[in-house]
Amino acid sequence: MRDNQMARSEERGGIAIVGAGPVGAIAAMYLAPRFGPVTVLERRADPRRGGGRRGRSITVMLSTRGWRALSELGLDAAVRAICLPIHGRCAHLPDGRSHVSPYSRDWRPIWSVERARLHCLLLDAAEATPGVKILFEQRVREVDPDVPAVEVENGDGSTRMAYSRVLGCDGAHSVVRAALVTRGAQAVVRRLELAHQEIDVPGGWLDPSTMHYWPTGDALFAAFPLPSGNFAGSLFLRHEGPAPSYAVVESGQDLLEMFVSRFGKPAAAIPDLADQLSVKSIGTIMTVSCDRWVWRDKLALLGDACHAMAPFMGHGMNCGFEDVRTLVDRLDSTQNWAAALAAYEKIRIEDAHAISYLSYQHYHHMANPPAESIAHAEELRNRLIALFPDRFVPLYERCAFTEESYAAVLKDDRRLDSLVEDLLSRHGAELVSASNSRLRACVSAAGIASLGEC
Ligand SMILES: Cc1cc2nc3c(=O)[nH]c(=O)nc-3n(C[C@H](O)[C@H](O)[C@H](O)COP(=O)(O)OP(=O)(O)OC[C@H]3O[C@@H](n4cnc5c(N)ncnc54)[C@H](O)[C@@H]3O)c2cc1C
């Protein structure tokens, strides 16, 4: 920790949470009733009083893992009131066709909510929890994992404060993670090649029960329904590289022409498109992976601080809420912080790697119109899922509507891929349209053992 003559030193005790984002707020609500005072240190101003990031209105999807935490905290009804159910995604293909894929085989919805509204609701609920204190405009500069202690800077200078534990819920640029790196953790922080701009889309011309997306291979536009009846649009383009990257699209006019040529229908429906494209900020997406999440019985990382991921599966925040639940579950069952933190790290790292990988893969799935070369495999996959509903559950459904380990879901999905590849290499593409009985016979000839593992 920096040798700062001006720094005051305080012994606060209790738990410090660095970062009052959605995950920090949820963590505070779980921990204060169990372990006493929790102080949340947030570098930004209070967003409920006009602080925080202005001009960014990201829509996030809540699925089963997120709802579990919200309902355990008694917040499900309040959150549901500001959400919209979304039953699937509708692809608008370049050839003019559209295709709806339900999120689950029985059309269960996931729920869309404006992150800023959800965040404010969570801050209100956290502050109303006895034992929780949220301090805004307190930037944590440095963390000493051994004490543990944090050096906090605010308008009055800097103060070193010791706590019983420090939890890092401080997002992709985590200073708590940086402290773990000084103890040997290896972290990889990457800026995704994709940038995004949030574009307001008027409603009335799109079905509000699904999200909509326009895949073009090198650019993606997506629109999420909002309770107002309008849609929150997101344009995804590469930062660098050949057209149509942001680096090549040199002027607002170029960007507008690119948008109109690729996304004709949305372009026609957004009257102030040119203005929005020229004034809306271009957001970057960071990904984080880290091989250590905890330090002894003193410190742990949760949420984006340890696994910021691409947004295309809609799981970053859901996964962060699940981190908190897993940690608390371990603490409840062992009452021993060192053992609980070690178990938490062991359980979650593999799962976070899996959902981060899937989230990035999902971008390519959504951004590219279905290619002829993989169409047979996709179709066969879908037929196997329909024919063996107890054995094969679609990957998205398992991620969004169960709390199964993401790593197990990924493993099973790879096995299904291998089975499909094996069947196509033995029987050729004609198997895709074969009768159910022939397909069953081919699957059992391919090896009941491999099927049984799926
Ligand atoms: C375009 C987009 C779409 C997304 N869609 C979804 C979705 O559909 N579903 C989903 O589950 N997730 C989604 N996500 C991901 C989700 O937004 C994040 O996973 C979630 O916000 C992470 O919460 P967090 O609290 O861990 O981190 P953050 O939200 O980043 O909060 C961290 C907090 O820590 C504070 N902080 C940072 N450093 C310090 C410091 N040194 N001192 C004090 N405070 C500090 C920050 O100011 C911030 O308030 C999406 C993300 C993007 C970009």
Side-chain angles (χ1 to χ4, degrees), residues 263-284:
F263 309 114
K265 280 202 178 147
I270 307 170
D272 59 345
L273 179 62
D275 283 351
Q276 291 202 51
L277 287 172
S278 62
V279 301
K280 292 283 178 84
S281 60
I282 298 172
T284 55

Side-chain angles (χ1 to χ4, degrees), residues 1-10 142 151-153 156-160:
M1 188 151 296
R2 244 178 300 161
D3 180 22
N4 185 342
Q5 294 294 316
M6 300 303 289
R8 288 177 296 129
S9 194
E10 286 183 20
E142 223 168 337
E151 187 186 319
V152 183
E153 193 178 80
D156 301 329
S158 74
T159 312
R160 183 184 196 270

Side-chain angles (χ1 to χ4, degrees), residues 224-296:
F224 299 88
L226 293 170
S228 62
N230 295 328
F231 285 74
S234 291
L235 169 65
F236 291 94
L237 279 188
R238 286 188 311 275
H239 283 284
E240 317 284 347
S245 68
Y246 277 110
V248 171
V249 176
E250 280 174 359
S251 69
Q253 187 57 31
D254 290 346
L255 186 55
L256 181 63
E257 281 169 17
M258 182 287 299
F259 196 103
V260 172
S261 69
R262 283 180 169 71
F263 309 114
K265 280 202 178 147
I270 307 170
D272 59 345
L273 179 62
D275 283 351
Q276 291 202 51
L277 287 172
S278 62
V279 301
K280 292 283 178 84
S281 60
I282 298 172
T284 55
I285 300 170
M286 304 304 295
T287 64
V288 170
S289 100
C290 188
D291 67 349
R292 297 295 312 273
W293 290 15
V294 304
W295 181 248
R296 299 178 180 155

Side-chain angles (χ1 to χ4, degrees), residues 19 23 42-44 61 115 140 170 304 311 314-318:
V23 174
E42 168 57 49
R43 73 173 176 202
R44 292 200 180 103
M61 301 292 159
R115 188 171 66 175
V140 172
D170 48 344
D304 275 18
H315 273 260
M317 186 183 66
N318 287 287

Side-chain angles (χ1 to χ4, degrees), residues 60-366:
V60 291
M61 301 292 159
L62 272 166
S63 48
T64 294
R65 297 166 204 264
W67 284 115
R68 170 81 183 271
L70 294 169
S71 76
E72 284 182 359
L73 294 168
L75 297 173
D76 45 341
V79 174
R80 195 85 73 181
I82 57 168
C83 283
L84 257 195
I86 316 280
H87 296 265
R89 60 181 98 83
C90 179
H92 300 265
L93 303 175
D95 62 10
R97 285 177 302 139
S98 60
H99 178 256
V100 176
S101 314
Y103 286 130
S104 73
R105 289 166 298 176
D106 55 359
W107 290 87
R108 266 171 295 163
I110 58 174
W111 298 78
S112 132
V113 61
E114 285 171 77
R115 188 171 66 175
R117 281 187 87 185
L118 174 66
H119 187 202
C120 291
L121 186 154
L122 294 178
L123 290 176
D124 283 344
E127 262 179 350
T129 306
V132 175
K133 195 193 293 176
I134 307 180
L135 305 176
F136 292 94
E137 298 180 74
Q138 309 282 321
R139 178 185 287 270
V140 172
R141 284 284 179 198
E142 223 168 337
V143 177
D144 178 340
D146 296 315
V147 175
V150 296
E151 187 186 319
V152 183
E153 193 178 80
N154 58 25
D156 301 329
S158 74
T159 312
R160 183 184 196 270
M161 295 182 293
Y163 290 94
S164 58
R165 332 272 164 201
V166 171
L167 301 185
C169 300
D170 48 344
H173 302 285
S174 169
V175 71
V176 183
R177 187 183 66 240
L180 258 185
V181 169
T182 67
R183 297 295 184 275
Q186 309 252 356
V188 180
V189 181
R190 247 176 19 104
R191 186 187 77 161
L192 212 64
E193 69 271 23
L194 291 164
H196 67 104
Q197 258 181 311
E198 304 302 315
I199 306 287
D200 302 328
V201 182
W205 62 287
L206 289 169
D207 172 6
S209 72
T210 66
M211 67 80 81
H212 297 262
Y213 67 105
W214 289 262
T216 66
D218 49 14
L220 175 71
F221 187 65
F224 299 88
L226 293 170
S228 62
N230 295 328
F231 285 74
S234 291
L235 169 65
F236 291 94
L237 279 188
R238 286 188 311 275
H239 283 284
E240 317 284 347
S245 68
Y246 277 110
V248 171
V249 176
E250 280 174 359
S251 69
Q253 187 57 31
D254 290 346
L255 186 55
L256 181 63
E257 281 169 17
M258 182 287 299
F259 196 103
V260 172
S261 69
R262 283 180 169 71
F263 309 114
K265 280 202 178 147
I270 307 170
D272 59 345
L273 179 62
D275 283 351
Q276 291 202 51
L277 287 172
S278 62
V279 301
K280 292 283 178 84
S281 60
I282 298 172
T284 55
I285 300 170
M286 304 304 295
T287 64
V288 170
S289 100
C290 188
D291 67 349
R292 297 295 312 273
W293 290 15
V294 304
W295 181 248
R296 299 178 180 155
D297 62 341
K298 306 287 189 208
L299 176 146
L301 302 176
L302 301 104
D304 275 18
C306 43
H307 55 60
M309 63 188 75
F312 304 102
M313 287 285 286
H315 273 260
M317 186 183 66
N318 287 287
C319 181
F321 289 1
E322 198 174 52
D323 293 343
V324 180
R325 281 201 47 259
T326 308
L327 175 61
V328 168
D329 185 51
R330 295 296 84 214
L331 285 166
D332 284 348
S333 62
T334 66
Q335 301 293 322
N336 171 325
W337 276 82
L341 262 52
Y344 159 73
E345 178 185 85
K346 190 163 189 292
I347 295 168
R348 291 304 284 170
I349 283 190
E350 208 192 346
D351 278 340
H353 285 329
I355 187 62
S356 298
Y357 169 82
L358 288 168
S359 299
Y360 186 64
Q361 290 302 308
H362 205 60
Y363 168 71
H364 296 286
H365 186 72
M366 287 181 74

Side-chain angles (χ1 to χ4, degrees), residues 433-446:
S433 49
S435 66
N436 284 351
S437 55
R438 172 153 156 69
L439 193 48
R440 275 181 206 283
C442 293
V443 166
S444 76

